[in-house]
Amino acid sequence: MGIKSRTFEAPSANGIAAAAPNKNYRVKLTDKERKKVEEMIRKAKTLEEIIRLEKELNEGKVPAGAHDDAMEE
């Protein structure tokens, strides 16, 4: 007889519990990138744009247009 638990983990196809598929990763942004992302959020015209930026950050990606390029200076 197994140990009783208050949680339920559904086994995957191979019998092992699947890991959470949507892990959030922390993105390390430079000061310029952070300011650019904040500006992109302020300038967003639709909720979809904000959701896209949030999704990219949660996936551990730097949103397009916010990369800190040395060539910009």
Side-chain angles (χ1 to χ4, degrees), residues 32-69:
K32 286 184 181 181
E33 288 172 335
R34 185 181 56 79
K35 288 179 183 183
K36 182 68 176 173
V37 170
E38 288 174 357
E39 180 183 340
M40 292 169 69
I41 292 170
R42 279 194 299 273
K43 289 184 176 181
K45 296 190 184 326
T46 64
L47 181 60
E48 286 78 19
E49 290 180 68
I50 295 171
I51 292 171
R52 179 184 55 81
L53 292 169
E54 181 183 28
K55 180 181 176 194
E56 288 181 22
L57 290 169
N58 285 336
E59 291 174 351
K61 300 176 186 174
V62 177
H67 292 284
D68 186 18
D69 295 331

Side-chain angles (χ1 to χ4, degrees), residues 7-18:
T7 61
F8 174 76
E9 293 183 22
S12 64
N14 62 2
I16 300 172

